[in-house]
């Protein structure tokens, strides 16, 4: 990691609460600017959304304007950080969103006319062009949207790889197994009764909305997703894959032609489902996802949703996919629509910043959101 950037304050000690991707990206920018960082995490290592996601750096789905600007900056940062922390296995893999109907193609044509289509490296491909790009695709395909700026990282490896690079700076300390119970200007207290002192405090608690009494985050929602992982596929996938139901959810597809999409299938409606499929570095497929918003969330994961997701992946790839090896659910923190910014920021008291609410784009956006904090706080 480099030394302090010109014009920044030197020798600050920054306390970061939360060991997920957002907290760790804050640690990254602080250490890069020459500061000391102490990062506290409740668990032995992060076990929440950061290690339960697809690892998709997903520029393609973001709303035009500010959200895409953040995603494109984050994509640049991921590539840069991926070179310094190779263990997170950044891959500039791009993505294909596969569609099968004229109504879906009409949506993609309007997306291609958006002013930022070139910045996202979008291309509308016919079936032959899509198959040339991803030979693993099966026959069930009418057209596809290619996004050259989408990328993949390994979510289970990201926090550890970042921490390893941070530790090499000599300016970083990770304190796992510490639940922060109180925070005030320049100080946090953990559940063991220890106090930690610093010049600034940044709290990134993810979907733990009850943190510090819960008042600040009472306006946020949570969303629960079901996911699965297969044994290694016998061929490599060149890119990440999504199906046509993505057009119902991602803001970039909010173009006039979207209203002409046929009604969702009963499974899509029931599980608020789309197919996303990412090949892990070991060859296995991460497949999802469903969306549930009503709390309390189910304790179990629903087999019916997995049957549907597996069927969709097999149709897109035109082959039987390997057996499922693990299933899990994950929860992320989300702001109510319409959102003013990618993240929700609160200043609890002087120098104590609470940041979360990145929703389903948090793995993508975290490096850029943390950079914004660093700039705003003159780190
Ligand atoms: C299934 C699933 C798939 C997703 N896929 C993608 C994707 O492909 N691409 C994308 O961009 N986004 C994706 N997301 C969203 C993304 O994962 C999240 O937005 C992001 O990980 C949030 O990171 P975070 O650091 O804010 O929160 P978290 O990962 O939840 O981390 C918060 C951390 O804070 C700790 N903590 C909480 N309270 C305390 C306390 N009092 N003291 C100490 N520590 C505390 C927690 O233990 C936790 O480790 C997905 C989310 C899910 C659930």
């Amino acid at each position: 990691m480099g030394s302090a950037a010109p014009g920044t304050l030197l020798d600050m000690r920054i306390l970061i609460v939360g060991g997920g991707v957002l907290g760790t990206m804050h640690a990254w920018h602080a250490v890069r600017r020459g500061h000391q960082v102490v990062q506290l995490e409740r668990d032995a290592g992060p076990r929440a959304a950061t290690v339960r996601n697809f690892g998709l750096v997903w520029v393609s789905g973001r709303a035009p304007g500010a959200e895409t600007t953040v995603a494109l900056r984050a994509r640049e940062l991921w590539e840069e950080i991926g070179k310094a922390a190779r263990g997170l296995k950044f891959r500039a893999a791009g993505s294909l969103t596969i569609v099968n109907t004229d109504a879906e193609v009409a949506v993609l044509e309007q997306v291609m006319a958006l002013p930022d289509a070139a910045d996202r490296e979008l291309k509308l491909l016919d079936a032959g062009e899509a198959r040339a790009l991803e030979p693993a695709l099966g026959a069930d395909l009418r057209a596809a949207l290619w996004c050259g700026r989408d990328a993949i990282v390994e979510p289970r490896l990201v926090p550890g790889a970042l921490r390893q690079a941070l530790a090499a700076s000599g300016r970083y300390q990770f304190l796992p197994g510490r639940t922060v119970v109180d925070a005030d200007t320049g100080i946090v207290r953990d559940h063991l009764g220890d106090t930690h002192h610093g010049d600034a405090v940044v709290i990134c608690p993810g979907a733990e909305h009850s943190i510090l009494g819960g008042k600040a985050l009472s306006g946020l929602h949570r969303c629960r997703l079901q996911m699965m992982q297969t044994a290694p596929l016998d061929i490599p996938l060149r890119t990440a894959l999504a199906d046509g139901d993505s057009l119902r959810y991602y803001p970039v597809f909010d173009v006039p032609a979207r209203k002409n999409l046929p009604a969702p299938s009963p499974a899509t409606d029931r599980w608020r489902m789309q197919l996303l499929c990412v090949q892990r570095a070991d060859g296995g497929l991460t497949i999802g996802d469903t969306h549930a918003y009503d709390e309390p969330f189910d304790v179990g994961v629903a087999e019916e949703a997995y049957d549907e997701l597996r069927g969709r992946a097999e149709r897109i790839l035109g082959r039987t996919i390997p057996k499922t090896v693990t299933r899990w659910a994950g929860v992320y923190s989300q702001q109510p629509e319409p959102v003013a910014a990618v993240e929700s920021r609160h200043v609890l008291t002087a120098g104590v910043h609470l940041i979360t609410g990145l929703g389903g784009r948090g793995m993508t956006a975290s490096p850029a959101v943390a950079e914004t904090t660093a700039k705003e706080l003159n780190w």
Side-chain angles (χ1 to χ4, degrees):
M1 308 209 77
S3 53
T8 57
L9 301 169
L10 282 176
D11 287 338
M12 285 175 80
R13 183 175 159 89
I14 295 166
L15 304 177
I16 292 172
V17 180
V21 63
L22 187 59
T24 312
M25 286 297 180
H26 277 87
W28 186 272
H29 286 290
V31 166
R32 212 190 123 250
R33 286 163 169 76
H35 304 304
Q36 302 280 334
V37 167
V38 177
Q39 184 176 17
L40 296 100
E41 162 57 40
R42 174 180 60 184
D43 288 320
R47 302 187 64 76
T50 293
V51 293
R52 291 166 187 256
N53 65 46
F54 292 96
L56 285 171
V57 178
W58 202 245
V59 175
S60 53
R62 308 282 48 105
E67 197 179 299
T68 295
T69 304
V70 170
L72 285 168
R73 175 61 185 149
R75 166 64 173 74
E76 265 176 21
L77 287 166
W78 269 115
E79 187 156 8
E80 187 184 310
I81 293 167
K83 287 179 187 145
R86 294 204 175 268
L88 60 82
K89 299 188 189 293
F90 174 89
R91 281 170 286 154
S95 75
L96 285 172
T97 299
I98 311 289
V99 300
N100 292 83
T101 67
D102 288 349
E104 290 170 331
V105 172
V107 171
L108 298 189
E109 282 169 350
Q110 291 186 355
V111 167
M112 287 306 300
L114 293 173
D116 64 12
D119 296 339
R120 302 187 208 221
E121 298 176 20
L122 297 183
K123 277 187 202 156
L124 182 52
L125 307 179
D126 64 26
E129 290 168 329
R131 262 191 226 99
L133 217 142
E134 176 50 274
L137 291 176
D140 194 11
L141 144 75
R142 161 99 158 69
L145 183 71
W146 164 253
C147 176
R149 291 309 279 167
D150 282 345
I152 300 171
V153 295
E154 292 300 300
R156 306 252 162 121
L157 303 181
V158 162
L162 294 175
R163 289 200 307 266
Q164 192 181 359
L166 286 165
S169 72
R171 298 190 296 275
Y172 172 75
Q173 192 184 9
F174 181 58
L175 297 180
R178 305 278 183 150
T179 300
V180 167
V181 294
D182 202 7
D184 207 337
T185 304
I187 186 168
V188 303
R189 191 161 57 82
D190 67 37
H191 75 293
L192 301 175
D194 289 336
T195 52
H196 310 267
H197 298 266
D199 302 292
V201 179
V202 177
I203 305 172
C204 304
E208 188 52 71
H209 292 166
S210 62
I211 191 163
L212 305 178
K215 208 165 147 199
L217 301 181
S218 59
L220 299 189
H221 305 307
R222 307 199 309 164
C223 175
R224 178 187 186 261
L225 292 73
Q226 283 191 208
M227 307 279 284
M228 61 183 266
Q229 177 81 25
T230 73
L233 186 70
D234 54 359
I235 52 162
L237 296 188
R238 293 186 183 167
T239 187
L241 299 171
D243 79 354
D245 271 333
S246 310
L247 275 53
R248 301 179 189 281
Y249 306 116
Y250 287 120
V252 68
F253 300 120
D254 190 8
V255 291
R258 178 146 86 170
K259 68 175 182 327
N260 300 327
L261 291 176
S265 70
T268 299
D269 197 33
R270 172 150 190 220
W271 301 104
R272 290 184 237 191
M273 169 185 278
Q274 66 185 335
L275 177 78
L276 293 175
C277 176
V278 184
Q279 191 168 41
R280 297 270 67 91
D282 72 355
L285 302 177
T286 303
I287 292 174
D289 53 11
T290 61
H291 299 88
Y293 301 95
D294 295 332
E295 298 203 43
F297 296 129
D298 281 343
V299 174
V301 288
E303 203 56 30
E304 187 189 331
Y306 287 115
D307 291 344
E308 174 70 20
L309 288 168
R310 168 174 283 276
R312 290 185 186 200
E314 292 190 336
R315 274 196 301 283
I316 279 188
L317 292 173
R319 64 178 63 223
T320 304
I321 60 170
K323 69 172 183 178
T324 303
V325 289
T326 54
R327 299 162 205 268
W328 68 95
V331 175
Y332 59 65
S333 163
Q334 196 174 26
Q335 304 170 73
E337 299 284 343
V339 296
V342 166
E343 73 282 15
S344 156
R345 288 177 186 267
H346 297 265
V347 181
L348 297 183
T349 181
V352 181
H353 303 264
L354 178 57
I355 309 170
T356 187
L358 277 65
R361 59 198 164 192
M363 198 66 168
T364 304
S366 284
V369 170
E371 183 183 54
T372 298
T373 310
K375 287 181 176 166
E376 282 182 359
L377 302 187
N378 195 24
W379 286 358

